[in-house]
Amino acid sequence: MAARVAREGPNGGPRVVIVICDSLRADLIGPASTPFLSELARRAARFAAHRSVFPSTTRASAASIATGCHPARHGLLGNTMALDEGEGLVCRSAGHPDFPDRLRRATGRTLQVPTLAERLRWHGETSVSCANVSPGAAYFQDPDGHGFVYHAAGSYGPGRRPVDDPSSAALKKGLAGDRAMTERFCAEILEERAPSLAIMWLSEPDYTGHHAPLGSAQHRTAIAGADQCARQVFDTVRRLDPAGNDILFITGSDHGMETISRAIDLDALLIAAGLKEGPGSHDVVVAPNGTAATLYFAEPDSGRVPRIAHFLAGENWVGEVFAGDKLAAVGLPTNSAMRVAVTLAGEDRENPHGVRGYCPIVQDPADSESKIGFGQHGGLGPNEQRPFLMIEGGGFAPGRRLGASSLVDIAPTVLRHLHMDHDDMDGLALPRAAD
Ligand SMILES: [Zn+2]
């Protein structure tokens, strides 16, 4: 464990602790795989119609949880984005550690709106985030260094000052890494440092869901492991605050998953249709986002945009095409180089392990992991848009909430508990009484 540091939080004041179980579908929560979450569902506020953002990818979700805004306002448009850094549009992975700097060079900023970490700093409070997901998903919770972010690719304190943190540097994705992170999060972050906001983002069950069939023994083991990590954090929280008056405990996922049915080479289809100049050309650039894709245009006001939207609408693997004002309806900007987005066409059937939902993906040359029969996400399919959310403490009455909720409602809920302004976000603070 790292050297002891001074207590950072208020003594006895309001605090928030968040645990994200990456990719855990609400319908895969049950007594066998997730005894803790099943039990918590009875004593906590449970949000039954909770939704992700679009694209339903971890990095865009991390930015939406951090800002309370959809991608249209925070500007991180998925796990991949095309950027023009002076040599034309090129698709880049937002997961790479250097991506926040590339985004800043291309657009002048990282995220376009403040994060929870920044808002807490305005009030002299500290946030601490521990994440075992991609560097991009970790850093987009606090890309400009207002609080602490601990990650295997590098840990940072306020001012993006590098922090030597061997325990994070040693973490690997998967259950063993998640367990080591949980130990450290509970002992050092929650018990000793006690910041106003502490977030822990587990790699599971996402990591295994990308490498094994959904519902397989490996996937169920990963789900059970994430459940145990969430229990350990909850037990620590309630030991520190038995009545639940001060510490608000939030646990949820960022999105669910669908089973991959096939891979679509969208670049090749566009080139064959005469709608893209060639492989690697900068005129039209596809940013694959799993079961969704976004398309960027060197000339966003040209006739190519409606021609490509029309072409995509005629493809049988396309679920829905968003262009023009329809982009705003799904939380995407209407005035960027990204002018067309698609969610792929899912099928409601069971995989060999009894888990419903298949969907094609758009092939990503930079992604060697996605395989037919394994899990993926990114689109608007019913199962990938089925994250879970439970909240306990802080005046939340137990019970099932039937009204719609979204990842963007988490930040305003956090700020309300901390007595900070939260009226300038897309999301709304969640109801404390059952509806
Ligand atoms: Zn995720």
Side-chain angles (χ1 to χ4, degrees):
M1 196 198 304
R4 292 200 164 219
V5 290
R7 188 178 172 85
E8 285 159 343
N11 281 306
R15 291 166 58 184
V16 180
V17 175
I18 302 177
V19 177
I20 303 292
C21 306
D22 202 302
S23 270
L24 179 50
R25 272 168 61 160
D27 62 319
L28 297 184
I29 291 173
S33 294
T34 60
F36 166 67
L37 290 174
S38 298
E39 173 196 316
L40 186 69
R42 288 193 291 275
R43 61 201 268 195
R46 179 160 66 96
F47 294 83
H50 194 52
R51 284 179 68 81
S52 184
V53 294
F54 181 64
S56 55
T57 59
T58 305
R59 296 152 206 165
S61 297
S64 287
I65 289 173
T67 61
C69 291
H70 285 281
R73 278 180 68 197
H74 65 59
L76 186 68
L77 307 183
N79 268 2
T80 63
M81 273 180 78
L83 298 180
D84 185 349
E85 295 172 84
E87 293 175 350
L89 290 165
V90 177
C91 182
R92 302 280 182 195
S93 167
H96 198 275
D98 72 0
F99 185 82
D101 291 330
R102 287 184 182 276
L103 186 59
R104 194 185 286 110
R105 275 201 299 277
T107 69
R109 304 206 40 173
T110 55
L111 297 178
Q112 306 285 324
V113 287
T115 59
L116 285 171
E118 180 171 358
R119 289 169 184 269
L120 263 67
R121 193 190 53 93
W122 296 343
H123 296 265
E125 304 288 350
T126 305
S127 70
V128 177
S129 165
C130 296
N132 197 23
V133 287
S134 73
Y139 297 152
F140 273 108
Q141 295 178 61
D142 181 15
D144 301 315
H146 295 283
F148 290 87
V149 176
Y150 294 99
H151 188 271
S155 298
Y156 296 91
R160 285 287 283 171
R161 179 171 46 82
V163 175
D164 182 29
D165 187 52
S167 72
S168 294
L171 291 182
K172 291 201 169 28
K173 286 187 189 180
L175 214 41
D178 284 355
R179 287 196 179 115
M181 177 173 68
T182 303
E183 286 288 332
R184 188 271 182 102
F185 185 75
C186 290
E188 183 201 322
I189 311 297
L190 298 186
E191 302 223 25
E192 292 179 27
R193 289 169 58 174
S196 295
L197 173 61
I199 304 180
M200 186 179 79
W201 200 303
L202 299 168
S203 71
E204 295 289 16
D206 182 81
Y207 179 70
T208 298
H210 283 290
H211 295 89
L214 303 182
S216 63
Q218 303 100 295
H219 189 232
R220 299 268 179 204
T221 300
I223 290 173
D227 182 74
Q228 284 166 358
C229 292
R231 182 197 293 274
Q232 192 175 342
V233 174
F234 181 79
D235 288 349
T236 305
V237 163
R238 285 292 159 260
R239 194 163 60 244
L240 294 168
D241 175 25
N245 293 328
D246 295 332
I247 306 183
L248 182 67
F249 177 78
I250 300 176
T251 186
S253 50
D254 48 349
H255 49 75
M257 276 186 162
E258 310 279 349
T259 296
I260 301 172
S261 56
R262 60 182 173 134
I264 306 296
D265 187 347
L266 180 50
D267 273 345
L269 291 174
L270 292 175
I271 294 164
L275 294 166
K276 175 174 167 67
E277 282 167 17
S281 67
H282 304 295
D283 54 333
V284 177
V285 175
V286 173
N289 275 276
T291 54
T294 48
L295 288 85
Y296 292 71
F297 295 80
E299 293 176 30
D301 296 314
S302 69
R304 190 92 64 98
V305 174
R307 281 208 302 280
I308 286 185
H310 180 76
F311 167 79
L312 291 169
E315 292 289 297
N316 65 4
W317 50 270
V318 169
E320 201 168 349
V321 182
F322 304 98
D325 291 342
K326 284 179 80 180
L327 288 167
V330 287
L332 289 171
T334 54
N335 58 355
S336 73
M338 193 285 297
R339 289 298 169 102
V340 176
V342 287
T343 182
L344 274 53
E347 298 162 74
D348 182 27
R349 59 183 168 93
E350 284 187 358
N351 79 354
H353 304 278
V355 175
R356 299 200 81 84
Y358 275 85
C359 195
I361 58 167
V362 168
Q363 199 169 301
D364 181 351
D367 169 19
S368 58
E369 296 187 335
S370 292
K371 300 234 169 20
I372 291 164
F374 293 176
Q376 190 46 287
H377 50 90
L380 291 168
N383 304 298
E384 55 199 341
Q385 287 289 336
R386 194 174 287 154
F388 80 99
L389 179 67
M390 299 179 201
I391 305 183
E392 219 258 2
F396 273 84
R400 190 158 164 248
R401 311 297 197 268
L402 298 172
S405 66
S406 152
L407 299 186
V408 298
D409 298 325
I410 293 173
T413 303
V414 168
L415 294 174
R416 179 183 61 191
H417 182 73
L418 299 176
H419 310 301
M420 295 176 189
D421 288 344
H422 53 84
D423 56 2
D424 57 346
M425 300 173 155
D426 290 341
L428 298 170
L430 290 161
R432 283 179 283 211
D435 50 27

